């Protein structure tokens, strides 16, 4: 809910800054550019991989598939609308904007008259960003707990957080170099792990498993035993 409210606030504040003449017709530079841009940005759109962590844990209910696909469809529309607004505001200087979502509304007259009212929308979006950034750490901790099977849950937590902290301290200054490497060369990895592997995961169900044992109490035998 906070994401939707924050998104609507930022998009609403950005309307007055739009210049539709900046937009080119869809596919003006060829399908190759679209495919290349999609391939380079896979690291930001590989959320389907999170479903792998629910294998064996998720109990499918009626219309769950419709709800999941519907949520993804809404997310796609929100992204397309944001890109429409973003490039309508910045045009050729768009690649220089490091934090695109928080920049689209800064030129609106409302912000100039009421100060940075858009900070409220940005704060609401950052709430969901914190949750999104915590998901990899959470799943890594849960997996490590199952691997080492310890009663002390704080040990896997410290291990995962400690590794992440060391990684940030060591490679933090090389952030832009790592980002350029991921955009330029790591697309195949994200394509495989984020799209191909999740699509092939139903093949795991082809393996026959032993039926689950159901424990039932035979009350007749229990009564006879008491007698």
């Amino acid at each position: 809910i906070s994401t939707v409210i924050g998104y609507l606030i930022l998009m609403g504040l950005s309307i007055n800054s739009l210049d539709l003449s900046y937009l080119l017709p869809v596919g003006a530079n060829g399908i190759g550019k679209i495919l290349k841009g999609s391939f380079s940005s896979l690291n930001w759109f590989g959320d389907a991989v999170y479903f792998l962590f629910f294998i064996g844990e998720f109990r499918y209910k009626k219309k769950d598939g419709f709800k999941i696909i519907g949520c993804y469809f809404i997310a796609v529309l929100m992204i397309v609308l944001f890109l429409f607004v973003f490039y309508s505001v910045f045009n050729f200087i768009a690649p220089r904007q490091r934090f695109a979502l928080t920049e689209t509304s800064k030129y609106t007259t409302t912000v100039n008259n009421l100060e940075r009212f858009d900070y409220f929308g940005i704060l609401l979006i950052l709430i969901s960003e914190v949750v999104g950034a915590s998901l990899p750490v959470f799943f890594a901790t849960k997996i490590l707990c199952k691997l080492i099977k310890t009663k002390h849950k704080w040990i896997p937590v410290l291990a995962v957080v400690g590794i992440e902290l060391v990684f940030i301290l060591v490679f933090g200054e090389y952030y832009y170099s790592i980002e350029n490497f991921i955009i330029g060369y790591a697309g195949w990895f994200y394509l495989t792990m984020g799209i191909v592997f999740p699509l092939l995961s139903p093949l795991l169900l082809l393996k026959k498993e032993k039926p689950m044992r159901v424990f039932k109490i035979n009350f007749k035998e229990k009564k006879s035993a008491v007698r």
Side-chain angles (χ1 to χ4, degrees), residues 17-113:
S17 304
L18 300 183
D19 188 346
L20 301 182
S21 63
Y22 290 161
L23 298 178
L24 294 174
V26 176
N29 292 323
I31 189 64
K33 294 290 185 179
I34 297 176
L35 294 177
K36 183 178 179 180
S38 301
F39 182 78
S40 301
S41 58
L42 283 174
N43 59 302
W44 287 291
F45 301 101
D47 297 337
V49 72
Y50 287 120
F51 286 105
L52 297 177
F53 296 105
F54 294 99
I55 292 179
E57 303 291 338
F58 180 76
R59 295 184 178 180
Y60 182 82
K61 297 180 181 178
K62 189 177 181 180
K63 296 184 179 180
D64 278 350
F66 175 78
K67 294 176 182 178
I68 294 173
I69 294 175
C71 290
Y72 267 91
F73 181 74
I74 294 173
V76 168
L77 292 180
M78 293 175 65
I79 293 172
V80 172
L81 177 60
F82 163 71
L83 293 175
F84 177 85
V85 173
F86 177 67
Y87 285 101
S88 296
V89 173
F90 292 102
N91 192 18
F92 57 88
I93 64 171
R96 302 177 186 176
Q97 311 303 315
R98 299 299 304 177
F99 305 100
L101 190 59
T102 61
E103 300 288 338
T104 54
S105 58
K106 68 180 182 180
Y107 295 122
T108 183
T109 54
T110 305
V111 170
N112 295 330
N113 296 330

Side-chain angles (χ1 to χ4, degrees), residues 159-175:
V160 172
V161 175
I163 293 173
E164 183 179 17
L165 181 60
V166 171
F167 186 87
I168 293 174
L169 293 175
V170 174
F171 297 101
E173 60 181 316
Y174 306 107
Y175 171 80

